[in-house]
Every structure is written in structure tokens, then in C-alpha cells.
Amino acid sequence: MRGGVIRCAANAFAESTTMRLMILNGPNLNLLGVREPHIYGTTTLASIKASCEDFARFAGAQLSFHQSNNEGVLVDLIQSAREQADAIIINPAGYSFTSIAMLDALKMFEGPIFEVHISNIHARDELHRHSKLSSAVKAVVAGLGPYGYIVAMQAALQAAGTLPESLPAPIRLGPR
Ligand code: CA2
């Protein structure tokens, strides 16, 4: 993990395993819970953020959570993740289907990237079906509603081996 802090633990020096997660949300997701509840549900983005912060606290991870309606701002945030995050979780929303600039920026990030969609984009109309960004990510979570953000956080921490030991083996390690 980049940027780890060296700390003393039980007479041994160990690198801190604090995982830095950056969650990015694209255009219009600030309106979640307010419009089109039949597709995107009634949960607001503020509530998703609070829930992600709760899970990060439980897991001992660092979290930064952002939303922007501006493609350039999202590109800048993805670039900043090169120094400031170990993994990216991104719901690119409408930019999933259009943004070569975000695809190029994501390709320059060295850590794992998890793409989240609240709805199952594969069951949507032609316009909302094919994400241009998926080729640059490790995994796509789609159709689990807002819980998809927590699943993506869990997957990022699991891949890094930093899920809390208090969790049962199937969650921490999966099938052996
Ligand atoms: O299911 C998702 O998370 C999406 O990324 C959401 C995008 C859509 O373009 C993707 O196909 C799937 C749209 C986000 C728009 O957010 C709204 C929120 C409330 C009301 C209307 C739109």
C-alpha cells in the first residue's frame, strides 16, 4: 500500500494497513432519492455517503467521497487518486457511456478500480447498456441498489487483505 505509516506494534515494526479508498460519483447522482425513484430508489447520496463512512470506520479504512456534474473535475479527482488513494470506487453515471477522458485517466491509476451502478445497466435501454469505462476496471457491481457501494468497498478491502479479522472467513477470504 502506498503512503503507509510506519508504527510500532508489540516490539515489531509493521507497515500500517490503512487502506485509502476514493469514491467518485458522476453527474446527476446529487439528485438521488429525489427524482425517478422507480429506477434509482429513494436513498439519497448523503445517506449513501454516511453508510460508506460507517463501513470505512468499522473496517479501519480512510475514505474520501465526491460527486461532480463536471467531467473535468472528475478527471482531476481520478488524477489526484494516483497520490491520494489505494483504490477507486466510481459510479460514473452518464459519463459511463461517453467519456474517453475519464477512461484515459482511469487507465493511468495503478490500483484497483471498482465501477458501481445502482441499477442493472445490462437490463436497461441501449443507451444505458454499454459502459466505455468498464475496460479499465477490475470489477463492475450493477443492480444491487445503493448497497452496491458497500459491496464494492468490501471487495476493495478484501482484495487488499485488509478486512477486519472479526469478520467470518467466507467474507474475509471467500471459498478456499
Ligand atoms: O445505475 C446507476 O448508478 C447509473 O450509473 C446512474 C446513471 C445512469 O445514466 C446509468 O445508466 C446508471 C444516471 C444517474 C442519474 O441520476 C439520477 C438521480 C435521480 C434522478 C434522476 C437521475
Side-chain angles (χ1 to χ4, degrees):
M1 227 145 300
R2 280 173 279 161
V5 177
I6 304 298
R7 67 176 180 208
C8 184
N11 294 330
F13 286 95
E15 190 164 344
S16 164
T17 53
T18 302
M19 179 87 171
R20 301 166 304 164
L21 301 176
M22 182 179 282
I23 299 187
L24 300 174
N25 292 281
N28 299 310
L29 288 168
N30 53 314
L31 296 179
L32 272 180
V34 181
R35 302 279 306 277
E36 299 196 58
H38 56 292
I39 303 178
Y40 303 116
T42 53
T43 307
T44 63
L45 193 64
S47 172
I48 292 174
K49 179 176 186 236
S51 198
C52 290
E53 285 170 350
D54 278 354
F55 187 56
R57 206 169 302 117
F58 165 75
Q62 241 182 58
L63 175 66
S64 64
F65 191 101
H66 310 268
Q67 188 277 330
S68 177
N69 294 329
N70 185 309
E71 187 177 17
V73 171
L74 291 163
V75 168
D76 285 343
L77 284 163
I78 294 167
Q79 287 189 12
S80 76
R82 286 158 51 80
E83 299 301 325
Q84 292 167 23
D86 299 303
I88 294 177
I89 293 165
I90 183 165
N91 183 344
Y95 287 138
S96 311
F97 315 103
T98 62
S99 182
I100 303 295
M102 284 172 66
L103 175 64
D104 290 343
L106 288 172
K107 281 184 175 163
M108 287 186 271
F109 182 73
E110 286 174 8
I113 302 167
F114 298 82
E115 180 177 351
V116 172
H117 296 282
I118 293 166
S119 60
N120 177 4
I121 57 170
H122 305 290
R124 302 278 307 275
D125 56 286
E126 191 55 37
L127 211 59
H128 290 92
R129 206 169 281 169
H130 182 75
S131 169
K132 286 194 191 320
L133 305 189
S134 299
S135 63
V137 308
K138 179 180 169 78
V140 181
V141 179
L144 296 183
Y147 188 65
Y149 287 82
I150 305 300
V151 170
M153 286 177 73
Q154 185 180 317
L157 298 170
Q158 198 276 336
T162 60
L163 277 175
E165 289 193 4
S166 58
L167 289 171
I171 295 179
R172 276 188 302 111
L173 308 171
R176 290 276 119 180

Short mmCIF file of all heavy atoms in Angstrom, two decimals, residues 108-144:
data_model
loop_
_atom_site.label_atom_id
_atom_site.label_comp_id
_atom_site.label_asym_id
_atom_site.label_seq_id
_atom_site.Cartn_x
_atom_site.Cartn_y
_atom_site.Cartn_z
N MET A 108 -4.57 5.41 -16.11
CA MET A 108 -3.29 5.85 -15.52
C MET A 108 -3.22 5.59 -14.01
O MET A 108 -2.19 5.79 -13.39
CB MET A 108 -3.06 7.33 -15.82
CG MET A 108 -2.70 7.54 -17.28
SD MET A 108 -2.25 9.24 -17.59
CE MET A 108 -3.83 9.94 -18.00
N PHE A 109 -4.35 5.15 -13.42
CA PHE A 109 -4.35 4.82 -11.99
C PHE A 109 -3.82 3.40 -11.82
O PHE A 109 -4.26 2.48 -12.51
CB PHE A 109 -5.78 4.94 -11.43
CG PHE A 109 -5.88 4.66 -9.96
CD1 PHE A 109 -5.39 5.56 -9.02
CD2 PHE A 109 -6.44 3.47 -9.50
CE1 PHE A 109 -5.47 5.30 -7.66
CE2 PHE A 109 -6.52 3.20 -8.14
CZ PHE A 109 -6.03 4.12 -7.22
N GLU A 110 -2.88 3.23 -10.89
CA GLU A 110 -2.22 1.92 -10.79
C GLU A 110 -2.95 0.91 -9.90
O GLU A 110 -2.76 -0.29 -10.02
CB GLU A 110 -0.77 2.10 -10.33
CG GLU A 110 0.09 2.66 -11.46
CD GLU A 110 1.49 2.99 -11.02
OE1 GLU A 110 1.86 2.66 -9.87
OE2 GLU A 110 2.22 3.61 -11.81
N GLY A 111 -3.80 1.39 -8.99
CA GLY A 111 -4.50 0.48 -8.08
C GLY A 111 -5.78 -0.07 -8.71
O GLY A 111 -6.13 0.28 -9.84
N PRO A 112 -6.50 -0.91 -7.94
CA PRO A 112 -7.75 -1.47 -8.46
C PRO A 112 -8.88 -0.44 -8.51
O PRO A 112 -8.96 0.45 -7.66
CB PRO A 112 -8.07 -2.60 -7.47
CG PRO A 112 -7.36 -2.23 -6.23
CD PRO A 112 -6.15 -1.43 -6.61
N ILE A 113 -9.72 -0.58 -9.51
CA ILE A 113 -10.87 0.32 -9.70
C ILE A 113 -12.13 -0.54 -9.74
O ILE A 113 -12.15 -1.58 -10.42
CB ILE A 113 -10.75 1.10 -11.03
CG1 ILE A 113 -9.44 1.90 -11.06
CG2 ILE A 113 -11.95 2.00 -11.25
CD1 ILE A 113 -9.08 2.43 -12.45
N PHE A 114 -13.14 -0.11 -8.99
CA PHE A 114 -14.42 -0.83 -8.95
C PHE A 114 -15.49 0.11 -9.47
O PHE A 114 -15.66 1.20 -8.94
CB PHE A 114 -14.74 -1.28 -7.52
CG PHE A 114 -13.70 -2.24 -6.98
CD1 PHE A 114 -12.50 -1.76 -6.44
CD2 PHE A 114 -13.89 -3.61 -7.03
CE1 PHE A 114 -11.53 -2.62 -5.96
CE2 PHE A 114 -12.92 -4.48 -6.56
CZ PHE A 114 -11.74 -4.00 -6.03
N GLU A 115 -16.20 -0.32 -10.53
CA GLU A 115 -17.27 0.50 -11.10
C GLU A 115 -18.60 0.07 -10.49
O GLU A 115 -18.89 -1.13 -10.41
CB GLU A 115 -17.28 0.29 -12.63
CG GLU A 115 -18.34 1.10 -13.36
CD GLU A 115 -18.25 0.91 -14.89
OE1 GLU A 115 -17.27 0.30 -15.37
OE2 GLU A 115 -19.19 1.35 -15.58
N VAL A 116 -19.36 1.04 -10.02
CA VAL A 116 -20.65 0.74 -9.39
C VAL A 116 -21.77 1.39 -10.19
O VAL A 116 -21.66 2.55 -10.60
CB VAL A 116 -20.68 1.29 -7.94
CG1 VAL A 116 -22.08 1.15 -7.33
CG2 VAL A 116 -19.68 0.56 -7.05
N HIS A 117 -22.83 0.64 -10.39
CA HIS A 117 -24.09 1.21 -10.90
C HIS A 117 -25.21 0.76 -9.98
O HIS A 117 -25.30 -0.44 -9.66
CB HIS A 117 -24.37 0.76 -12.34
CG HIS A 117 -23.34 1.25 -13.30
ND1 HIS A 117 -23.33 2.54 -13.77
CD2 HIS A 117 -22.26 0.64 -13.84
CE1 HIS A 117 -22.29 2.71 -14.57
NE2 HIS A 117 -21.62 1.57 -14.62
N ILE A 118 -26.03 1.69 -9.59
CA ILE A 118 -27.15 1.37 -8.70
C ILE A 118 -28.13 0.45 -9.41
O ILE A 118 -28.60 -0.55 -8.85
CB ILE A 118 -27.82 2.69 -8.26
CG1 ILE A 118 -26.85 3.47 -7.36
CG2 ILE A 118 -29.14 2.43 -7.54
CD1 ILE A 118 -27.24 4.91 -7.13
N SER A 119 -28.42 0.79 -10.66
CA SER A 119 -29.34 -0.05 -11.45
C SER A 119 -28.54 -1.10 -12.22
O SER A 119 -27.32 -0.97 -12.36
CB SER A 119 -30.12 0.84 -12.43
OG SER A 119 -29.21 1.50 -13.31
N ASN A 120 -29.25 -2.11 -12.72
CA ASN A 120 -28.60 -3.11 -13.58
C ASN A 120 -28.55 -2.56 -14.99
O ASN A 120 -29.52 -2.66 -15.75
CB ASN A 120 -29.38 -4.43 -13.52
CG ASN A 120 -28.78 -5.46 -14.46
OD1 ASN A 120 -27.74 -5.22 -15.09
ND2 ASN A 120 -29.42 -6.61 -14.56
N ILE A 121 -27.41 -1.97 -15.34
CA ILE A 121 -27.32 -1.28 -16.64
C ILE A 121 -27.54 -2.26 -17.81
O ILE A 121 -27.98 -1.86 -18.87
CB ILE A 121 -25.99 -0.51 -16.83
CG1 ILE A 121 -24.77 -1.41 -16.70
CG2 ILE A 121 -25.90 0.66 -15.87
CD1 ILE A 121 -23.46 -0.72 -17.11
N HIS A 122 -27.27 -3.55 -17.57
CA HIS A 122 -27.42 -4.53 -18.65
C HIS A 122 -28.89 -4.80 -18.98
O HIS A 122 -29.19 -5.34 -20.04
CB HIS A 122 -26.69 -5.83 -18.28
CG HIS A 122 -25.27 -5.57 -17.93
ND1 HIS A 122 -24.33 -5.20 -18.87
CD2 HIS A 122 -24.62 -5.56 -16.74
CE1 HIS A 122 -23.17 -4.99 -18.27
NE2 HIS A 122 -23.33 -5.20 -16.98
N ALA A 123 -29.75 -4.44 -18.06
CA ALA A 123 -31.18 -4.64 -18.32
C ALA A 123 -31.85 -3.34 -18.76
O ALA A 123 -33.08 -3.26 -18.84
CB ALA A 123 -31.85 -5.16 -17.04
N ARG A 124 -31.05 -2.32 -19.01
CA ARG A 124 -31.60 -1.01 -19.39
C ARG A 124 -31.68 -0.89 -20.91
O ARG A 124 -31.29 -1.79 -21.64
CB ARG A 124 -30.72 0.12 -18.82
CG ARG A 124 -30.56 0.11 -17.30
CD ARG A 124 -31.70 0.76 -16.56
NE ARG A 124 -32.04 2.11 -16.99
CZ ARG A 124 -31.44 3.21 -16.54
NH1 ARG A 124 -30.45 3.13 -15.67
NH2 ARG A 124 -31.83 4.40 -16.95
N ASP A 125 -32.12 0.26 -21.37
CA ASP A 125 -32.21 0.54 -22.81
C ASP A 125 -30.81 0.61 -23.42
O ASP A 125 -29.81 0.73 -22.71
CB ASP A 125 -32.96 1.87 -23.02
CG ASP A 125 -32.28 2.99 -22.25
OD1 ASP A 125 -32.41 3.01 -21.00
OD2 ASP A 125 -31.58 3.81 -22.86
N GLU A 126 -30.75 0.55 -24.73
CA GLU A 126 -29.48 0.51 -25.47
C GLU A 126 -28.51 1.62 -25.05
O GLU A 126 -27.31 1.40 -24.89
CB GLU A 126 -29.80 0.61 -26.98
CG GLU A 126 -28.63 0.32 -27.90
CD GLU A 126 -27.97 -1.04 -27.66
OE1 GLU A 126 -28.68 -2.02 -27.36
OE2 GLU A 126 -26.72 -1.10 -27.75
N LEU A 127 -29.05 2.81 -24.82
CA LEU A 127 -28.23 3.98 -24.47
C LEU A 127 -27.50 3.81 -23.14
O LEU A 127 -26.41 4.35 -22.93
CB LEU A 127 -29.17 5.19 -24.37
CG LEU A 127 -28.66 6.57 -24.73
CD1 LEU A 127 -28.16 6.59 -26.17
CD2 LEU A 127 -29.79 7.60 -24.55
N HIS A 128 -28.09 3.05 -22.21
CA HIS A 128 -27.55 2.93 -20.85
C HIS A 128 -26.93 1.56 -20.61
O HIS A 128 -26.81 1.12 -19.47
CB HIS A 128 -28.67 3.14 -19.82
CG HIS A 128 -29.15 4.54 -19.72
ND1 HIS A 128 -30.20 5.02 -20.45
CD2 HIS A 128 -28.70 5.59 -19.00
CE1 HIS A 128 -30.39 6.29 -20.17
NE2 HIS A 128 -29.50 6.67 -19.29
N ARG A 129 -26.56 0.84 -21.68
CA ARG A 129 -26.18 -0.56 -21.50
C ARG A 129 -24.68 -0.80 -21.53
O ARG A 129 -24.18 -1.69 -20.85
CB ARG A 129 -26.84 -1.36 -22.63
CG ARG A 129 -27.07 -2.78 -22.29
CD ARG A 129 -27.93 -3.45 -23.31
NE ARG A 129 -29.35 -3.14 -23.13
CZ ARG A 129 -30.30 -3.43 -24.02
NH1 ARG A 129 -29.97 -4.03 -25.15
NH2 ARG A 129 -31.55 -3.14 -23.78
N HIS A 130 -23.94 -0.01 -22.31
CA HIS A 130 -22.52 -0.35 -22.51
C HIS A 130 -21.62 0.74 -21.93
O HIS A 130 -21.45 1.81 -22.51
CB HIS A 130 -22.23 -0.57 -24.00
CG HIS A 130 -20.79 -0.96 -24.21
ND1 HIS A 130 -20.31 -2.22 -23.90
CD2 HIS A 130 -19.73 -0.25 -24.64
CE1 HIS A 130 -19.02 -2.26 -24.14
NE2 HIS A 130 -18.64 -1.07 -24.59
N SER A 131 -20.98 0.42 -20.80
CA SER A 131 -20.08 1.39 -20.20
C SER A 131 -18.72 1.35 -20.90
O SER A 131 -18.08 0.31 -20.96
CB SER A 131 -19.89 1.10 -18.70
OG SER A 131 -18.82 1.89 -18.21
N LYS A 132 -18.29 2.52 -21.39
CA LYS A 132 -16.97 2.63 -22.02
C LYS A 132 -15.85 2.48 -20.99
O LYS A 132 -14.71 2.25 -21.34
CB LYS A 132 -16.81 4.00 -22.68
CG LYS A 132 -17.57 4.21 -23.96
CD LYS A 132 -17.02 5.47 -24.63
CE LYS A 132 -17.83 5.97 -25.80
NZ LYS A 132 -18.38 5.01 -26.71
N LEU A 133 -16.18 2.68 -19.70
CA LEU A 133 -15.13 2.70 -18.68
C LEU A 133 -14.79 1.31 -18.14
O LEU A 133 -13.75 1.11 -17.53
CB LEU A 133 -15.55 3.61 -17.52
CG LEU A 133 -15.92 5.05 -17.91
CD1 LEU A 133 -16.10 5.91 -16.67
CD2 LEU A 133 -14.86 5.67 -18.82
N SER A 134 -15.69 0.34 -18.40
CA SER A 134 -15.52 -0.98 -17.77
C SER A 134 -14.22 -1.67 -18.18
O SER A 134 -13.70 -2.49 -17.41
CB SER A 134 -16.71 -1.88 -18.10
OG SER A 134 -17.90 -1.32 -17.59
N SER A 135 -13.69 -1.33 -19.34
CA SER A 135 -12.45 -2.00 -19.78
C SER A 135 -11.26 -1.60 -18.90
O SER A 135 -10.23 -2.27 -18.92
CB SER A 135 -12.15 -1.66 -21.25
OG SER A 135 -11.92 -0.27 -21.38
N ALA A 136 -11.41 -0.51 -18.13
CA ALA A 136 -10.28 -0.05 -17.29
C ALA A 136 -10.44 -0.47 -15.83
O ALA A 136 -9.61 -0.09 -15.00
CB ALA A 136 -10.16 1.47 -17.38
N VAL A 137 -11.51 -1.22 -15.51
CA VAL A 137 -11.76 -1.51 -14.09
C VAL A 137 -11.56 -2.98 -13.77
O VAL A 137 -11.57 -3.83 -14.66
CB VAL A 137 -13.18 -1.05 -13.64
CG1 VAL A 137 -13.42 0.39 -14.03
CG2 VAL A 137 -14.27 -1.96 -14.18
N LYS A 138 -11.38 -3.25 -12.48
CA LYS A 138 -11.20 -4.64 -12.03
C LYS A 138 -12.54 -5.36 -12.00
O LYS A 138 -12.64 -6.53 -12.34
CB LYS A 138 -10.57 -4.62 -10.63
CG LYS A 138 -10.34 -5.98 -10.00
CD LYS A 138 -9.71 -5.80 -8.62
CE LYS A 138 -9.67 -7.08 -7.80
NZ LYS A 138 -8.58 -7.98 -8.22
N ALA A 139 -13.59 -4.68 -11.54
CA ALA A 139 -14.89 -5.33 -11.41
C ALA A 139 -16.01 -4.30 -11.52
O ALA A 139 -15.81 -3.12 -11.25
CB ALA A 139 -14.98 -6.04 -10.06
N VAL A 140 -17.17 -4.79 -11.94
CA VAL A 140 -18.35 -3.94 -12.04
C VAL A 140 -19.44 -4.51 -11.13
O VAL A 140 -19.72 -5.71 -11.16
CB VAL A 140 -18.89 -3.92 -13.50
CG1 VAL A 140 -20.11 -3.00 -13.60
CG2 VAL A 140 -17.80 -3.49 -14.48
N VAL A 141 -20.01 -3.64 -10.30
CA VAL A 141 -21.15 -4.03 -9.45
C VAL A 141 -22.35 -3.27 -9.99
O VAL A 141 -22.34 -2.04 -10.01
CB VAL A 141 -20.90 -3.61 -7.98
CG1 VAL A 141 -22.10 -4.00 -7.11
CG2 VAL A 141 -19.62 -4.23 -7.43
N ALA A 142 -23.36 -3.99 -10.45
CA ALA A 142 -24.53 -3.31 -11.03
C ALA A 142 -25.81 -3.98 -10.55
O ALA A 142 -25.89 -5.21 -10.48
CB ALA A 142 -24.47 -3.35 -12.55
N GLY A 143 -26.78 -3.17 -10.19
CA GLY A 143 -28.11 -3.69 -9.90
C GLY A 143 -28.38 -4.00 -8.44
O GLY A 143 -29.46 -4.47 -8.11
N LEU A 144 -27.42 -3.72 -7.56
CA LEU A 144 -27.63 -4.01 -6.13
C LEU A 144 -28.19 -2.80 -5.39
O LEU A 144 -28.27 -2.82 -4.15
CB LEU A 144 -26.32 -4.46 -5.47
CG LEU A 144 -25.71 -5.77 -5.98
CD1 LEU A 144 -24.47 -6.12 -5.18
CD2 LEU A 144 -26.73 -6.91 -5.89
#
